[in-house]
Amino acid sequence: MPTSTLPTPPLAEIYDIAVIGGGINGVGIAADAAGRGLSVFLCEKDDLTSHTSSASSKLIHGGLRYLEHYEFRLVREALAEREVLLAKAPHIVKPMRFVLPHRPHLRPAWMIRAGLFLYDNLGKREKLPGSRSLKFGADSALKSEISKGFEYSDCWVDDARLVVLNAMAAREKGAHVHTQTRCVSARRSKGLWHLHLERADGSLFSIRAKALVNAAGPWVAKFIRDDLKMESPYGIRLIQGSHIIVPKLYEGEHAHILQNEDQRIVFTIPYLNSFTLIGTTDREYTGDPAKVAITDGETDYLLNVVNAHFKKQIGREDILHSYSGVRPLCNDESDNPSAVTRDYTLALSGGADEAPLLSVFGGKLTTYRKLAESAMAQLMPFFTQMRPSWTATATLPGGEDMTTPQALSARIRDKFDWVPSEIARRWATTYGSRTWRMLEGVDTLADMGEHIGGGLYTREVDYLCSEEWATTAHDILWRRSKLGLFTTAAEQEKLAAYLSKVEHNRSKIEAA
């Protein structure tokens, strides 16, 4: 529908800040702003975390290889954030040791030691142990010619849940979060932004805001150009990163960081107790970010790197699942996709009498919170009532009143002895202390409703729909949980049918 025909109600609600984009940067900014006392509106055209933010390597890390590109500020900030996020979200963030096999012809030992020394000391480190040298014996999963290596600390995170929890934090601070809602256009008028929005059902509405934050990720420049009819201050490089998931390659809870002949690195990461996650790739991408998919070349690349290091060889037949995303990096004119900066750039525009526009270019999952603080610092002159920063010490939903996921899992089993230990563990590492909210009024297994499959009951489905914006089977199976790896096609269809029935009943009630 042409924007000229969209209604602009004279009494359209006025927010302090409107945020476009429900990835990690958008929800991080929304949560920070709402917690400072600002009124916040956030819209996402699809599901939360449905693109880049759920397609990462699922690491909270300083970026060891970024040291080779002299990105010391970014690495220092990211290293410090590891400990902050461990405290903020102990249910979805956990420490992990990384083993770096030494291949002398790729990087000399002195260079790796120097890098690890910087890595240990650039950022604040209290909980995570430092690096050390290793010698591999005959029982090593690595090939026999790889006899030495190094080990250091970083953290693992459920990336999609990190986004959802920040959206929940924003909502609990008063923000209005709208998924399946696209910003069709926005324009400045009389010191305000006027936004025209369209829901998935085609219905239209408008809001006004004193400031607009463009956190559209891969679409950041396109939104400025096509929807705002303005010129983007920066270009965006879309870098495709793909991952594969295979049955567990080796025993142990440690990851590997594998060096390749092209000077890139590939991670192998223990995943969901049964699998190994392998990635990522780095290639220029020029297509539609919503349609990115792993290529045959990327698949071969990842298999070849793993097979060059491990005794156990894998092939295409071992791949259980793959996923791809595009990283929207600020264009620094680098010839090598791996060398394009992972740092973020914030662009503020608007004249003295104009409503400000803040656009987010680039960024990293690990530094989303610091990016949000930087965004607030840029907007502070426009909102003198803004309260101070607060997110560094505030737990995310589910992180309250818990010590470790293991202790919480045991408490769940103590209270509900009919819950299988594996389900209790999954709830503890997914919902944290919000598990108790999901189980309010539950006394027996029958109270959990129908079993969909893979340990998923309709009680949990209803919770995800009411509390976490889930609307489709894909939302639930691959973003809110990873049960897509543990359910059959028939079980996934069963979930879709249940959701369709729930939506039909809801529509009937609303129509009555």
Side-chain angles (χ1 to χ4, degrees):
M1 182 180 289
T3 57
S4 59
T5 65
L6 289 172
T8 309
L11 297 178
E13 191 161 1
I14 299 177
Y15 293 87
D16 289 324
I17 295 177
V19 181
I20 309 299
I24 189 62
N25 291 332
V27 296
I29 291 170
D32 195 331
R36 294 178 191 238
L38 302 183
S39 59
V40 177
F41 174 95
L42 180 143
C43 68
E44 160 57 47
K45 64 185 180 67
D46 299 308
D47 180 33
L48 294 171
T49 191
S50 54
H51 299 291
T52 301
S53 296
S54 61
S56 76
S57 296
K58 311 191 188 309
L59 299 178
I60 298 295
H61 66 133
L64 181 61
R65 69 186 180 90
Y66 303 155
L67 292 173
E68 291 185 320
H69 304 298
Y70 309 110
E71 301 228 38
F72 298 116
R73 190 212 65 80
L74 174 62
V75 174
R76 181 184 295 109
E77 183 172 273
L79 288 171
E81 281 299 287
R82 297 177 308 179
E83 307 248 348
V84 173
L85 294 176
L86 271 171
K88 282 179 69 68
H91 47 320
I92 63 164
V93 181
K94 65 180 180 182
M96 186 172 280
R97 294 293 277 175
F98 287 74
V99 171
L100 171 59
H102 183 219
R103 305 183 73 191
H105 69 290
L106 296 180
R107 289 176 177 88
W110 67 264
M111 179 184 290
I112 296 173
R113 287 195 192 95
L116 290 173
F117 176 81
L118 285 172
Y119 209 68
D120 283 342
N121 293 285
L122 262 178
K124 180 183 177 184
R125 181 173 55 82
E126 294 178 352
K127 300 174 185 175
L128 298 173
S131 60
R132 64 184 183 120
S133 298
L134 296 175
K135 288 186 178 180
F136 305 118
D139 60 344
S140 171
L142 298 166
K143 287 186 172 181
S144 56
E145 62 266 28
I146 302 175
S147 59
K148 296 179 180 180
F150 304 87
E151 187 181 65
Y152 66 94
S153 293
D154 265 325
C155 297
W156 182 91
V157 66
D158 186 327
D159 52 2
R161 292 211 57 77
L162 184 66
V163 176
V164 172
L165 297 185
N166 272 277
M168 291 172 68
R171 180 181 61 197
E172 290 171 13
K173 293 292 185 180
H176 293 182
V177 178
H178 293 251
T179 64
Q180 311 296 332
T181 301
R182 184 170 68 95
C183 180
V184 178
S185 68
R187 60 182 176 82
R188 288 183 173 111
S189 177
K190 298 180 181 178
L192 295 172
W193 280 102
H194 292 242
L195 281 73
H196 300 299
L197 303 123
E198 181 180 22
R199 300 183 185 94
D201 62 5
S203 61
L204 307 167
F205 67 106
S206 300
I207 66 160
R208 291 178 290 174
K210 298 173 186 175
L212 179 61
V213 174
N214 173 13
W219 293 272
V220 59
K222 183 178 186 297
F223 179 75
I224 295 172
R225 184 179 64 249
D226 295 352
D227 300 318
L228 302 185
K229 308 300 181 186
M230 296 165 61
E231 187 173 332
S232 177
Y234 296 99
I236 276 286
R237 295 270 296 274
L238 298 182
I239 307 299
Q240 178 174 346
S242 296
H243 296 76
I244 58 175
I245 297 172
V246 301
K248 186 187 291 189
L249 266 176
Y250 54 88
E251 295 302 318
E253 293 299 309
H254 60 283
H256 290 86
I257 174 171
L258 309 178
Q259 303 176 80
N260 194 37
E261 305 291 338
D262 60 4
Q263 297 297 302
R264 288 203 60 259
I265 57 95
V266 167
F267 293 106
T268 69
I269 303 166
Y271 193 54
L272 303 176
N273 297 324
S274 303
F275 313 107
T276 299
L277 174 64
I278 302 168
T280 179
T281 57
D282 267 315
R283 65 186 293 268
E284 205 87 30
Y285 184 77
T286 56
D288 181 351
K291 296 179 179 178
V292 61
I294 193 168
T295 65
D296 287 341
E298 288 178 299
T299 300
D300 291 338
Y301 178 88
L302 295 175
L303 292 174
N304 289 339
V305 173
V306 169
N307 288 336
H309 287 81
F310 287 92
K311 293 172 184 172
K312 184 176 181 179
Q313 301 288 283
I314 56 173
R316 288 175 177 269
E317 66 278 6
D318 295 301
I319 298 174
L320 303 171
H321 182 65
S322 67
Y323 63 87
S324 300
V326 291
R327 296 184 287 277
L329 306 180
C330 196
N331 192 357
D332 61 3
E333 309 300 329
S334 173
D335 294 331
N336 178 3
S338 298
V340 181
T341 180
R342 267 56 177 173
D343 212 343
Y344 54 82
T345 299
L346 302 177
L348 183 66
S349 64
D353 298 322
E354 291 183 314
L357 167 66
L358 184 68
S359 296
V360 180
F361 294 84
K364 237 167 91 60
L365 192 72
T366 303
T367 52
Y368 86 89
R369 193 193 66 81
K370 294 296 289 184
L371 183 152
E373 285 189 338
S374 296
M376 291 298 98
Q378 295 248 18
L379 293 171
M380 195 170 290
F382 303 94
F383 299 100
T384 54
Q385 81 278 23
M386 187 189 296
R387 295 199 288 263
S389 59
W390 63 281
T391 58
T393 56
T395 54
L396 286 170
E400 320 95 334
D401 305 319
M402 67 170 287
T403 52
T404 67
Q406 294 78 13
L408 177 58
S409 178
R411 285 173 58 202
I412 294 169
R413 292 271 292 138
D414 285 344
K415 184 170 182 180
F416 304 104
D417 58 6
W418 44 265
V419 176
S421 57
E422 181 55 33
I423 293 180
R425 185 204 61 78
R426 181 176 67 80
W427 288 347
T429 56
T430 301
Y431 308 113
S433 58
R434 294 299 171 98
T435 302
W436 304 120
R437 184 174 297 188
M438 181 177 72
L439 297 177
E440 283 176 1
V442 170
D443 295 309
T444 67
L445 181 60
D447 294 331
M448 291 300 298
E450 183 182 3
H451 183 236
I452 300 292
L456 178 68
Y457 290 82
T458 52
R459 173 79 181 208
E460 184 176 352
V461 174
D462 294 343
Y463 173 84
L464 290 170
C465 293
S466 66
E467 297 295 319
E468 296 194 4
W469 299 276
T471 60
T472 70
H474 202 275
D475 297 347
I476 290 170
L477 294 171
W478 296 105
R479 287 187 283 276
R480 304 308 185 279
S481 76
K482 304 301 179 286
L483 291 175
L485 287 164
F486 298 93
T487 47
T488 65
E491 290 167 341
Q492 294 176 18
E493 289 173 8
K494 184 178 180 181
L495 173 59
Y498 175 77
L499 290 168
S500 179
K501 179 182 175 183
V502 169
E503 175 60 23
H504 177 71
N505 292 339
R506 185 189 65 80
S507 298
K508 281 178 62 178
I509 291 171
E510 289 181 352

